[in-house]
Amino acid sequence: MELTLWTYEGPPHVGAMRIAASMEGVHYVLHAPQGDTYADLLFTMIERRGKRPPVTYTTFQARDLGGDTAELVKGHIREAVERFKPQALLVGESCTAELIQDQPGSLAAGMGLSMPIVNLELPAYSKKENWGASETFYQLTRGLLNNQKPVQITHDPQKWKTEGRRPSVNLLGPSLLGFRCRDDVLEIKKLLIENDIDVNVVAPLNASPKDILEIPKADINILLYPEIAESSCIWLERNFGIPFTKTVPIGIGATHTFLSEAHNLLGLPAYNQSKNANQSRLKWYSESVDSNYLTGKRVFIFGDGSHAIAAAKIAKEELGFEVVGIGTYSREMARAVRSAAKELGLEALITNDYLEVEAAIADAVPELVLGTQMERHSAKRLGIPCAVISTPMHVQDVPARYSPQMGWEGANVIFDSWVHPLMMGLEEHLINMFRHDFEFVDGHQSHLGHLTNSQGENQAEKSQLSNEAKNNISDESPVWTSEGKAELSKIPFFVRGKIRQKTEKYARQAGCRQIDSETLYEAKAHFKA
């Protein structure tokens, strides 16, 4: 176990809570000490929900450990069933309660309760939140549908043709505390209806156990979030013969591929890509004069597997950026991310240490960071624009407005979210360039005013250079003079870090103890030669 200030994912029981809170008619009894009730805040604060998640905690205390905690568990299970009358009951334990080994799921199974009981065994010390959500949805789906498994699989995804109806699909994977899931579902529903495809069940978001029982009636499954529903889709295909789509429709190219894949599985007429060529404004905007200066910008990507992979394709193929780094904190998606990185000629960064990610960002010297709320903080410290593309997220990343990531409108949202930070960064650079003009004196500041003084000097960079100078004195490395710093500040922000590194390298090779403007120009000439 590693002690950390921030973590990308919570323990697996938080993932189980996400599934329970996403659904209707499901209740979760969690064997946990009093302090583990903090997880409620994730839903009431970040998701801004008006109700607590459907979770009953046993909330045992130190004094209870001397008695029969098993009876305590059974008492809370009985009370939860009588009070909430759920259609299905999830029973599990938190990481702390796991050490006691009370096995609450087994206790619940022996109580003679009438509703289905799902015993969640989530290894808290080796797995994380997304795995916990995936395993919970899988166990719930399997537990409810196990009795419906056909002896011989006869499912035909094109049966709708002979039954005289429109084809129907299930949307699997969206959940609370997922990234823009609510809006993604609305966008994909709209997209499918436009292609004469009906939606049978959406799960787990807003689904009930009764809805889960309806899943086999659909012709195919749409896998929207592999982190949450891939294991369930594989089980449904293996036991019911229901095929599922493999493409996550984030970005213009992926949306075209997704619709083509759905058409092929359902036996619909071949998907006409040219008909939908101009559905999103991303393509036109990215090719417009205003966006041309962004072509070739260096971008570093880090997040959950699905969003990181999608972001890399969009950045390279649809916006003309250069991907200089890609990684994920999700070890279950590591293979897919490594494959995407290999196509880009990169080595994927697989880690759950945000400081390691920050160091990788600094080494890559990108001009834009696409990441989680952790990378937003890291990018701010490094003075690099950033857009959040994945969980973990802050409350500001759960907008009240319609803001999907999938489909045509999702592509529009992505363009705005990614390009605007770069444009604002350019504005910051222009203000620094013209800071001596009369318009920019007397306290005029940019949108980064908290980082800038009245003369337009970047305080974060000034502090960073000052700290470097102190460190350099101790190990006899070159020190930047005020003249050298002034000249460095004239260089555009998006290449300044790389120029600083190369200049310091040249100064060390040339034996220079101080870096002034002349040293900067000499280094430039040296590396051009």
Side-chain angles (χ1 to χ4, degrees):
M1 184 181 293
E2 188 178 72
L3 182 63
T4 182
L5 294 175
W6 285 346
T7 179
Y8 286 98
E9 296 182 88
H13 73 264
V14 172
M17 286 181 64
R18 286 173 56 184
I19 302 303
S22 297
M23 299 184 67
E24 302 291 336
V26 174
H27 198 80
Y28 183 24
V29 176
L30 182 62
H31 190 29
Q34 198 164 15
D36 280 358
T37 56
Y38 72 90
D40 279 14
L41 291 174
L42 297 173
F43 300 90
T44 56
M45 183 180 70
I46 295 178
E47 279 280 0
R48 293 188 280 199
R49 281 168 55 84
K51 57 182 180 180
R52 288 183 59 251
V55 180
T56 294
Y57 299 90
T58 60
T59 56
F60 63 84
Q61 301 177 49
R63 65 171 179 264
D64 297 317
L65 298 179
D68 190 351
T69 52
E71 284 302 317
L72 179 72
V73 172
K74 291 166 71 174
H76 280 87
I77 291 173
R78 194 174 294 109
E79 290 172 8
V81 170
E82 290 175 359
R83 178 180 177 186
F84 298 104
K85 297 178 173 55
Q87 298 174 32
L89 188 70
L90 306 178
V91 183
E93 53 200 346
S94 72
C95 46
T96 312
E98 185 180 328
L99 301 173
I100 304 173
Q101 298 185 344
D102 277 329
Q103 299 182 325
S106 299
L107 293 173
M111 292 176 63
L113 301 174
S114 59
M115 77 285 298
I117 298 170
V118 179
N119 178 15
L120 298 177
E121 296 182 358
L122 309 177
Y125 297 98
S126 60
K127 297 295 184 179
K128 294 286 187 178
E129 178 184 327
N130 278 341
W131 183 90
S134 175
E135 180 69 8
T136 301
F137 185 52
Y138 166 73
Q139 292 292 351
L140 182 61
T141 301
R142 179 179 170 181
L144 292 172
L145 290 175
N146 213 31
N147 293 332
Q148 290 190 29
K149 284 194 302 184
V151 176
Q152 185 176 0
I153 297 174
T154 59
H155 183 84
D156 180 7
Q158 300 181 20
K159 192 176 180 180
W160 60 274
K161 294 179 180 179
T162 58
E163 293 182 348
R165 58 175 175 82
R166 283 159 51 116
S168 71
V169 302
N170 300 314
L171 304 184
L172 302 184
S175 70
L176 292 179
L177 290 181
F179 195 74
R180 311 284 173 83
C181 288
R182 173 199 64 188
D183 297 342
D184 283 347
V185 168
L186 294 176
E187 182 67 16
I188 296 305
K189 276 186 174 180
K190 176 183 175 184
L191 198 66
L192 293 170
I193 289 171
E194 289 173 353
N195 284 267
D196 299 321
I197 301 171
D198 292 333
V199 175
N200 178 49
V201 169
V202 178
L205 190 63
N206 298 326
S208 69
K210 290 181 180 178
D211 293 324
I212 300 297
L213 296 174
E214 299 295 313
I215 284 178
K217 294 182 179 179
D219 297 304
I220 67 171
N221 288 324
I222 301 294
L223 175 58
L224 290 184
Y225 303 94
E227 287 87 350
I228 305 301
E230 185 173 39
S231 58
S232 297
C233 284
I234 292 172
W235 185 83
L236 289 164
E237 183 175 48
R238 184 179 299 139
N239 291 276
F240 288 85
I242 308 173
F244 63 95
T245 58
K246 309 299 191 297
T247 305
V248 178
I250 301 178
I252 293 176
T255 301
H256 284 309
T257 303
F258 161 76
L259 287 171
S260 179
E261 188 179 358
H263 276 237
N264 290 339
L265 288 174
L266 291 167
L268 287 166
Y271 170 68
N272 185 356
Q273 181 170 327
S274 60
K275 180 183 176 182
N276 295 300
N278 297 312
Q279 288 281 358
S280 172
R281 290 182 286 276
L282 182 149
K283 186 174 185 296
W284 185 90
Y285 282 161
S286 64
E287 293 173 351
S288 68
V289 174
D290 288 341
S291 293
N292 280 348
Y293 72 89
L294 298 177
T295 302
K297 290 291 177 281
R298 297 164 57 84
V299 59
F300 188 100
I301 300 168
F302 193 88
D304 68 33
S306 297
H307 287 90
I309 293 169
K313 290 184 71 68
I314 295 169
K316 181 184 178 183
E317 299 173 10
E318 299 177 21
L319 291 174
F321 294 162
E322 178 189 357
V323 181
V324 296
I326 180 173
T328 182
Y329 56 80
S330 176
R331 298 196 177 275
E332 291 77 28
M333 294 288 289
R335 181 177 297 179
V337 174
R338 285 195 179 101
S339 178
K342 187 175 181 180
E343 291 179 10
L344 296 165
L346 300 170
E347 184 176 347
L349 175 63
I350 312 298
T351 182
N352 55 12
D353 184 348
Y354 70 96
L355 293 175
E356 187 178 348
V357 179
E358 182 171 327
I361 294 171
D363 289 342
V365 196
E367 297 151 62
L368 175 67
V369 174
L370 303 174
T372 72
Q373 70 153 334
M374 319 270 248
E375 283 64 57
R376 175 162 48 204
H377 287 284
S378 296
K380 188 175 182 180
R381 283 194 291 272
L382 296 169
I384 304 171
C386 179
V388 173
I389 63 164
S390 162
T391 55
M393 59 191 175
H394 190 269
V395 63
Q396 71 188 76
D397 303 310
V398 187
R401 69 183 183 281
Y402 183 60
S403 186
Q405 297 290 284
M406 294 183 177
W408 310 128
E409 188 60 27
N412 294 335
V413 171
I414 285 171
F415 179 86
D416 288 342
S417 303
W418 296 11
V419 169
H420 289 175
L422 279 172
M423 291 179 172
M424 297 298 277
L426 183 70
E427 172 193 298
E428 170 72 10
H429 171 58
L430 291 173
I431 288 177
N432 280 338
M433 279 180 63
F434 297 104
R435 65 178 178 267
H436 297 299
D437 288 8
F438 71 94
E439 294 179 72
F440 293 101
V441 296
D442 298 328
H444 279 76
Q445 295 183 339
S446 73
H447 71 289
L448 299 176
H450 61 288
L451 297 177
T452 315
N453 64 18
S454 60
Q455 282 73 41
E457 295 173 315
N458 189 301
Q459 294 288 8
E461 184 176 335
K462 187 174 180 181
S463 173
Q464 183 180 357
L465 289 173
S466 175
N467 290 334
E468 288 176 2
K470 291 176 183 177
N471 294 333
N472 289 341
I473 291 172
S474 62
D475 60 10
E476 298 186 354
S477 294
V479 178
W480 286 84
T481 65
S482 56
E483 179 192 1
K485 292 177 187 177
E487 199 64 29
L488 181 67
S489 68
K490 297 176 183 178
I491 295 171
F493 73 97
F494 43 80
V495 291
R496 194 178 299 155
K498 184 182 290 186
I499 296 299
R500 183 173 65 242
Q501 290 178 0
K502 286 190 172 183
T503 303
E504 290 173 353
K505 180 180 179 181
Y506 167 78
R508 282 192 292 270
Q509 292 173 350
C512 299
R513 295 294 303 278
Q514 291 186 325
I515 299 176
D516 55 19
S517 58
E518 289 300 319
T519 312
L520 193 59
Y521 291 126
E522 289 170 4
K524 182 180 179 181
H526 170 77
F527 286 107
K528 273 191 173 182

